[in-house]
Amino acid sequence: MMQELTEKIRTWAIMRGLDEADPNKQMLKLMEEVGEIAAALARGDIDEVQDGIGDVQVVLTILSMQIGTSIETCTALAYDEIKDRKGTMKNGVFVKEADLK
Ligand SMILES: [Mg+2]
């Protein structure tokens, strides 16, 4: 389902020329959408949080295209980095071993 949706997002973006638009502008859009998640969380509006997370996924999918890579490649790189990561919860956040003092 995720793969099919990602393909649809890419087709949607290409049809609008977004794949060749300015990644710096896309970065601004990303921060706007991230802010919407924070606002929705602050209000306890789970529907809007879901909307925001989806928007961020779409924006990142397109940003990846604009810089000549793919969201799948970026996610695979990220997972490869975290998969064996050890760490501990500290004050409610996960702190990786390398950052523990
Ligand atoms: Mg939004």
Side-chain angles (χ1 to χ4, degrees):
M1 179 187 161
M2 193 69 202
Q3 194 57 44
E4 198 180 311
L5 281 172
T6 302
E7 297 298 347
K8 284 180 179 173
I9 291 164
R10 276 196 282 259
T11 301
W12 179 91
I14 290 165
M15 288 190 321
R16 289 158 181 82
L18 286 167
D19 58 315
E20 295 188 331
D22 182 0
N24 296 300
K25 295 289 168 62
Q26 191 70 0
M27 189 65 210
L28 290 177
K29 186 74 187 161
L30 177 63
M31 298 320 292
E32 177 190 328
E33 299 294 359
V34 168
E36 286 178 7
I37 297 176
L41 264 178
R43 293 191 303 262
D45 187 340
I46 190 65
D47 289 344
E48 280 300 311
V49 172
Q50 287 189 110
D51 184 87
I53 290 172
D55 285 345
V56 164
Q57 178 76 18
V58 169
V59 171
L60 285 176
T61 299
I62 298 168
L63 178 62
S64 304
M65 299 168 81
Q66 291 171 341
I67 62 165
T69 183
S70 70
I71 191 76
E72 292 92 334
T73 297
C74 298
T75 305
L77 287 169
Y79 182 69
D80 198 53
E81 244 181 76
I82 66 167
K83 68 180 191 296
D84 299 319
R85 182 169 288 171
K86 292 177 184 64
T88 188
M89 290 298 288
K90 243 187 166 176
N91 196 33
V93 296
F94 183 80
V95 181
K96 62 180 186 279
E97 207 166 48
D99 291 344
L100 289 168
K101 297 192 182 82

